[in-house]
Amino acid sequence: MALAEVSELKSPVKTWVPSKKQLLIGGKWVDAKNGKTFDVENPATGDIVAQVADGKKEDIDAAVKAARKAFESGPWKDMSASERGKLVWKIGDAILKYGDELAELESLDNGKPLAVARAADVALSADIFHYMAGWATKIKGDTFEISTDHFYTPGQKYFSYTLKEPVGVVGQIIPWNFPLLMAAWKLAPVLATGNTVVLKPAEQTPLSALRLAEIIQEVGLPDGVLNVVTGDGEGAGAPLAAHDGVDKVAFTGSTEVGKMIVQAAAGNLKKVTLELGGKSPNVVYKDVADIKATAAGAASAIFFNHGQCCCAGSRLYIEKPIFDDVVSEVSNIAKGMKVAPGLTSPDMGPLVSKEQFEKVQGYIKSGLDDGAKCAVGGGTVGDKGYFVEPTVLTNTNDKMKVIKEEIFGPVVAAEPFDDHEEIMSRSNNSDYGLAAAVWTSDVQKAIRTAEAFRAGTVWVNCYNIFDAALPFGGYKQSGWGREMGSEILEAYTQVKSVVIAK
């Protein structure tokens, strides 16, 4: 789908996509100060579908200044918690109102199946705004009785309490694998807690975040509360993370970049939360009740969103007596998957970019060079676009790159194991600790395994189950802090102690 052929899309996306997209700063849509743009492509074809403003440090400076002004003065600062909560709720409603349009944009820009974008990305995005809206009126401090009799004021009584206040100006940097949903995960709590924000979408997938910003403007968010600067990591992301006018930075992406964010944030010691990479173990015991159902769950764990999930179940450990059966079932599922452009609602669409396409191919080659075998897949699909076959590798070992490193593609490595102690040691032998899963009909074994995993989320006889009330984040090099749930409120508030002499 070339830029000239966007008319093939449904209305109103076909009229929205071709126009040049600007930056949102201080409530106004403006060009980048350097006047430059960058291309956004359809990963199903490699064709250009839009041009987007190429924001740099000077644009970040302007956006941070606008966010600071909105935080310190104006209607947002004076808005009651109840009013703020109602506004956040309305954003959730608006996402549902424009759900079909947002899903189509997501499928076009990211490559994911249209049906998945509508059922998962849009629905969960609306849900996080509705959930966080309720928290706006429930952010509270405590009261304390000071029991110490201070030597310099003997007999003096005090009344003391704490306040939970917004952090201030927040810089948020989101990835390309779930562009709309990650924007929602970031924006809903930051708005519910009364902060202002500069959002930097991934340069590969900026379209749904820009459309969401327009929708939020329509809902009535005051000018400057939300600012959106598009651009690449070096030109826009790095200046945002390092900016002395930013009080906190929240990042979702690779562990490698997360470490760079930490270094950049050190200048003014801004608060940092990080949701980073993973290499999640998916453990299948021989006592599973239904091998076919378990295999379907294991296939979904890795092939959902084309394997471009930080929590993807990319290490599939299967107890030896059922190893061949499970691998055969997962391979049959992979063979039967329809791989096609996301707008046709296939089982799996293209990878997000040429860079990612080549990276995943490189990992597959590395595995095969090291002695792994392809039970299925290993190749590409078609002569244009960035399509990789769903791939199952066997004959791998824990020293291979395909086991140790995050591939971020539809590639799973299946390995057998003998007993619980062995597999827990192997499962936890990773720099990452984002998610894990266990499949068994033994409840005690499930509990024992869940407790042994060094991971932030554990699924039992299921995978990729999320809810706005469930905190999500990792152990070890999978990040700092949590997204969603009540835990995320701590990331966007700070505590003030007040002591009053009676």
Side-chain angles (χ1 to χ4, degrees):
M1 183 181 299
L3 183 58
E5 299 170 346
V6 174
S7 58
E8 296 177 9
L9 291 172
K10 301 174 186 176
S11 179
V13 173
K14 67 181 182 182
T15 59
W16 187 86
V17 171
S19 61
K20 187 178 74 172
K21 302 305 165 192
Q22 298 175 297
L23 313 175
L24 177 61
I25 298 178
K28 300 184 183 302
W29 291 95
V30 298
D31 292 336
K33 290 185 182 297
N34 61 18
K36 295 181 179 180
T37 62
F38 63 91
D39 293 333
V40 178
E41 67 177 10
N42 176 358
T45 64
D47 293 330
I48 306 306
V49 295
Q51 282 84 40
V52 175
D54 190 9
K56 301 296 183 184
K57 182 180 184 300
E58 55 268 32
D59 303 294
I60 292 293
D61 289 341
V64 171
K65 182 178 179 181
R68 178 63 59 189
K69 180 180 178 181
F71 180 72
E72 294 183 350
S73 63
W76 185 246
K77 179 178 182 294
D78 297 328
M79 191 176 290
S80 71
S82 178
E83 291 174 312
R84 194 168 63 244
K86 290 174 183 176
L87 193 56
V88 174
W89 182 276
K90 288 179 181 178
I91 295 172
D93 285 348
I95 290 173
L96 295 177
K97 175 183 176 181
Y98 293 103
D100 290 340
E101 178 184 346
L102 289 167
E104 195 165 81
L105 276 175
E106 203 75 332
S107 182
L108 173 69
D109 201 11
N110 168 273
K112 66 180 61 192
L114 178 61
V116 172
R118 187 66 178 88
D121 299 62
V122 170
L124 291 174
S125 295
D127 191 47
I128 190 67
F129 278 100
H130 286 153
Y131 173 81
M132 286 297 165
W135 277 111
T137 55
K138 300 169 186 65
I139 299 168
K140 55 185 177 60
D142 293 301
T143 59
F144 300 89
E145 179 180 349
I146 292 182
S147 56
T148 303
D149 192 4
H150 289 275
F151 71 90
Y152 48 86
T153 55
Q156 176 69 57
K157 301 296 183 182
Y158 301 91
F159 171 64
S160 61
Y161 60 94
T162 60
L163 298 170
K164 281 197 175 179
E165 300 180 333
V167 169
V169 175
V170 179
Q172 298 183 320
I173 303 171
I174 59 174
W176 46 255
N177 58 337
F178 292 91
L180 177 67
L181 184 57
M182 293 300 97
W185 276 20
K186 290 287 188 288
L187 293 177
V190 85
L191 297 178
T193 49
N195 296 278
T196 59
V197 61
V198 178
L199 179 73
K200 207 293 281 185
E203 61 267 32
Q204 298 89 345
T205 55
L207 298 183
S208 59
L210 291 169
R211 184 67 186 105
L212 176 61
E214 291 181 346
I215 292 168
I216 291 175
Q217 275 191 303
E218 182 181 309
V219 167
L221 193 70
D223 292 348
V225 175
L226 169 61
N227 305 271
V228 181
V229 178
T230 50
D232 62 22
E234 182 180 357
L240 180 59
H243 204 290
D244 285 344
V246 172
D247 301 301
K248 174 192 163 50
V249 63
F251 171 75
T252 296
S254 71
T255 296
E256 179 185 11
V257 176
K259 293 177 181 179
M260 296 168 64
I261 295 288
V262 171
Q263 293 174 349
N268 67 338
L269 294 179
K270 60 175 63 67
K271 297 177 182 294
V272 177
T273 50
L274 305 167
E275 197 267 281
L276 305 176
K279 193 68 180 175
S280 301
N282 196 4
V283 174
V284 179
Y285 287 107
K286 65 183 179 182
D287 59 10
V288 292
D290 186 331
I291 286 181
K292 285 185 177 291
T294 300
S300 177
I302 184 61
F303 300 135
F304 173 68
N305 207 51
H306 328 157
Q308 296 173 143
C309 297
C310 50
C311 59
S314 54
R315 291 187 290 153
L316 179 58
Y317 295 117
I318 308 162
E319 202 163 4
K320 280 184 178 177
I322 62 169
F323 179 80
D324 290 340
D325 291 338
V326 174
V327 169
S328 177
E329 290 292 340
V330 173
S331 298
N332 286 336
I333 292 170
K335 289 177 186 176
M337 294 181 74
K338 177 185 176 183
V339 181
L343 288 170
T344 68
S345 284
D347 297 309
M348 200 174 81
L351 300 185
V352 74
S353 65
K354 182 179 180 181
E355 179 185 6
Q356 191 64 20
F357 176 74
E358 293 175 346
K359 176 184 175 184
V360 172
Q361 284 184 293
Y363 271 111
I364 294 173
K365 182 179 184 302
S366 170
L368 297 178
D369 289 346
D370 288 343
K373 297 178 181 179
C374 272
V376 67
T380 61
V381 179
D383 56 2
K384 62 178 181 179
Y386 308 127
F387 297 92
V388 172
E389 291 179 325
T391 299
V392 179
L393 298 178
T394 59
N395 200 42
T396 58
N397 62 67
D398 292 348
K399 295 181 180 180
M400 291 183 180
K401 286 175 63 177
V402 292
I403 294 294
K404 297 173 66 176
E405 298 180 15
E406 185 177 37
I407 298 174
F408 225 64
V411 182
V412 62
E415 294 189 3
F417 71 91
D418 287 310
D419 55 47
H420 173 78
E421 287 72 22
E422 172 205 346
I423 197 52
M424 285 301 95
S425 175
R426 292 170 65 189
S427 292
N428 291 329
N429 183 25
S430 172
D431 292 336
Y432 301 107
L434 188 58
V438 54
W439 303 78
T440 178
S441 59
D442 185 330
V443 174
Q444 289 183 330
K445 186 183 294 182
I447 294 172
R448 190 167 70 250
T449 304
E451 291 178 348
F453 279 132
R454 294 283 296 161
T457 295
V458 177
W459 290 293
V460 178
N461 295 330
C462 59
Y463 211 97
N464 282 330
I465 304 302
F466 299 95
D467 189 87
L470 279 173
F472 182 78
Y475 288 23
K476 298 185 281 186
Q477 293 189 40
S478 286
W480 293 349
R482 295 293 181 268
E483 302 285 342
M484 301 194 293
S486 60
E487 281 80 359
I488 189 60
L489 303 174
E490 302 299 322
Y492 294 114
T493 56
Q494 51 193 350
V495 177
K496 177 185 288 181
S497 296
V498 180
V499 179
I500 303 171
K502 292 183 180 180

